[in-house]
Amino acid sequence: MSKKTVRDIDLKDKKVFVRCDFNVPLDENGVITDNRRIVGALPTIKYLLENNCKVILCSHLGRPKGEVKPEFSLKPIAVELSKLLGKEVKLANDVIGESAKELTSNMNNGDVVLLENVRFDAREEKNDPELSKELASMAEIFVNDAFGTAHRAHSSTAGVADYLPAVSGFLIEKELKFLGEALQNPERPFVAILGGKKVSDKIGVINSLLEKVDTLLIGGAMAFTFFKAQGYGVGDSICELDKLDLAKEIMENAKKKGVNLVLPVDTKIGKEFDPNTESKTVKSNEIPDGWQGFDIGAESIKEYCEILKSAKTVIWNGPVGLSEFKQFAAGTDTIAETLANLSDCTTIIGGGDSAAAVERAGLADKMTHISTGGGASLEFLEGKKLPGIECLQDK
Ligand code: ADP
Ligand code: 3PG
Ligand code: MG
């Protein structure tokens, strides 16, 4: 069932409470290192301003655990937003206290107020109805545009919809369009690339994608659990010994469903977890003791990229190697370049580290869609219902 968006209700001149996900990475000096989530919220905010609304923005940042902690203040976000919008965004210095009340009750049409980190209030993560009610009392309409937090049932992401007409913003609409269409109606061949650290993080996604894709390319540390399940030695590579049966089950399941599940034939290994460690490439069933697998090997890169070249839909979740270290980034970087050069293929990137890898390679605008959701995009791909979306009005 599709959900109403800001286009589907009359919000002219209204006071609107907008939940965004401004949970962006900050460096040790509090400088934003990736503003994609802020940029992603702009279309909705601009649309509301064009409609003469009073815009109250709300977000969390990090996990302050219900306490006011200055290092989790939304101050850097208010500054960045003001810059991007080209207009002043006033930051309240509390969530629903004196400052928030004063700023939000004295607004003119076209004003933008950002509330302080909603997780400074311990009731937020408990989805406490009292907090939802207080947040709702500030406005006439609830717009949820926090896709990255849509898998959390919290007061500001879901609870507030009990007290106000609730619709989605353009970012959530866009995320649902790309992720949803890929799952429901993909152009084929449909190929998924799954990497990252652990099989256990991605079991739900693997099982769900096995129902949909033609080919599943496995990379990253999770490959070693599959190798071990086939009886290979994996040296000191990351490997989940309690998931070997599961890995076998996944391989059998793929066979039954006619899905081509591909594991790397070769692996680039290193001596230590260190950017400058000694490294070499070996056949995947010949990883010696005392070594760790950190990337897919050159032969695998070639094979994976050949498969990708004929794909019409690709979903990529999780880097295929330790791509933060230059000498183990070739797999991830070459896959990113290959996807960037596909002209007739829908390419969807989900997962924080995969998105960061594509960004690092300077290829972000060459992809069809880079999700702003980490956990949320995983849960969506698993086919789970997301509370921040379920709570919105149906079309
Ligand atoms: P995403 O955030 O895209 O969903 P994950 O969080 O599941 O991805 O996994 C990303 C992490 O996995 C990265 O930090 C990456 O360095 C790490 N990783 C990938 N392959 C390996 C490997 N072979 N050994 C160790 N770490 C790996
Ligand atoms: C994220 O970064 O995945 C979202 O902002 C949700 O954050 P959380 O995992 O702290 O709920
Ligand atoms: Mg990650």
Side-chain angles (χ1 to χ4, degrees):
M1 179 117 33
S2 66
K3 295 294 182 180
K4 280 193 186 166
T5 76
V6 283
R7 271 191 223 93
D8 299 312
I9 51 166
D10 175 23
L11 35 73
K12 230 175 176 36
D13 303 325
K14 295 267 179 3
K15 206 171 194 181
V16 185
F17 178 87
V18 191
R19 179 53 156 101
C20 297
D21 186 337
F22 295 143
N23 184 27
V24 292
L26 303 174
D27 70 12
E28 59 280 7
N29 303 312
V31 175
I32 298 168
T33 54
D34 177 356
N35 71 355
R36 280 181 312 116
R37 282 180 165 178
I38 303 176
V39 172
L42 294 177
T44 298
I45 300 171
K46 286 183 178 163
Y47 180 83
L48 296 175
L49 293 176
E50 281 158 19
N51 278 279
N52 227 15
C53 297
K54 302 175 180 80
V55 181
I56 302 169
L57 302 173
C58 169
S59 176
H60 74 286
L61 176 69
R63 295 176 174 170
K65 304 213 161 92
E67 282 169 42
V68 178
K69 293 187 183 147
E71 67 271 32
F72 292 104
S73 167
L74 295 190
K75 211 171 273 165
I77 282 99
V79 171
E80 178 73 3
L81 247 181
S82 301
K83 203 159 57 184
L84 291 168
L85 278 175
K87 79 182 286 153
E88 191 196 3
V89 174
K90 289 189 191 132
L91 176 67
N93 56 31
D94 50 32
V95 183
I96 35 114
E98 292 278 300
S99 166
K101 289 218 170 86
E102 195 195 311
L103 286 180
T104 59
S105 54
N106 293 307
M107 292 176 82
N108 294 314
N109 292 356
D111 281 353
V112 183
V113 169
L114 173 63
L115 305 178
E116 194 36 292
N117 191 338
V118 67
R119 289 190 185 171
F120 284 174
D121 192 312
R123 296 173 296 175
E124 162 69 357
E125 293 182 70
K126 299 186 183 116
N127 196 7
D128 186 320
E130 283 309 313
L131 177 60
S132 304
K133 218 186 284 182
E134 286 183 59
L135 293 171
S137 72
M138 293 179 181
E140 298 162 274
I141 292 170
F142 169 46
V143 172
N144 191 10
D145 218 14
F147 181 74
T149 326
H151 57 320
R152 309 289 183 216
H154 294 170
S155 294
S156 71
T157 61
V160 67
D162 290 340
Y163 305 99
L164 287 177
V167 299
S168 86
F170 295 126
L171 179 60
I172 284 198
E173 181 189 40
K174 183 169 149 212
E175 295 272 5
L176 295 180
K177 173 177 155 54
F178 285 110
L179 296 171
E181 270 173 21
L183 289 184
Q184 271 155 30
N185 206 5
E187 254 202 273
R188 293 181 184 278
F190 181 11
V191 181
I193 312 159
L194 285 182
K197 234 171 259 174
K198 295 183 185 161
V199 182
S200 52
D201 284 346
K202 314 247 160 138
I203 300 167
V205 185
I206 297 174
N207 284 332
S208 154
L209 289 176
L210 277 180
E211 303 291 329
K212 320 259 180 192
V213 299
D214 303 297
T215 301
L216 185 56
L217 306 175
I218 301 274
M222 72 158 86
F224 306 110
T225 303
F226 285 93
F227 291 156
K228 188 85 181 172
Q230 294 175 88
Y232 302 179
V234 296
D236 296 337
S237 309
I238 293 176
C239 180
E240 291 172 282
L241 293 175
D242 59 334
K243 294 288 177 297
L244 300 183
D245 287 340
L246 180 76
K248 277 183 208 154
E249 212 177 283
I250 289 169
M251 288 186 280
E252 277 159 26
N253 212 359
K255 210 174 275 168
K256 258 188 254 159
K257 296 196 185 305
V259 172
N260 184 21
L261 186 145
V262 190
L263 289 160
V265 290
D266 58 350
T267 297
K268 188 159 184 192
I269 59 178
K271 269 261 161 192
E272 315 281 345
F273 189 87
D274 182 297
N276 302 313
T277 190
E278 181 191 346
S279 67
K280 60 181 178 180
T281 298
V282 296
K283 287 211 170 70
S284 293
N285 57 358
E286 291 173 3
I287 300 173
D289 288 344
W291 291 74
Q292 306 176 50
F294 287 138
D295 196 8
I296 61 175
E299 227 180 291
S300 310
I301 295 177
K302 214 166 132 210
E303 185 189 1
Y304 285 19
C305 291
E306 274 314 308
I307 292 172
L308 291 170
K309 279 178 194 157
S310 57
K312 287 275 176 281
T313 307
V314 176
I315 285 187
W316 183 10
N317 186 291
V320 295
L322 183 51
S323 59
E324 298 92 330
F325 292 179
K326 209 154 183 259
Q327 64 165 332
F328 301 112
T332 301
D333 287 356
T334 315
I335 286 177
E337 277 156 31
T338 304
L339 294 183
N341 286 321
L342 296 179
S343 51
D344 190 23
C345 176
T346 303
T347 48
I348 297 166
I349 319 297
D353 291 288
S354 332
V358 170
E359 194 77 38
R360 208 168 34 228
L363 298 170
D365 9 323
K366 298 272 170 59
M367 305 298 163
T368 311
H369 180 63
I370 299 189
S371 179
T372 54
S377 72
L378 270 184
E379 293 199 17
F380 187 83
L381 294 177
E382 284 174 43
K384 286 191 186 155
K385 292 201 184 308
L386 307 183
I389 289 164
E390 288 304 300
C391 70
L392 305 176
Q393 292 182 354
D394 293 323
K395 255 193 184 160

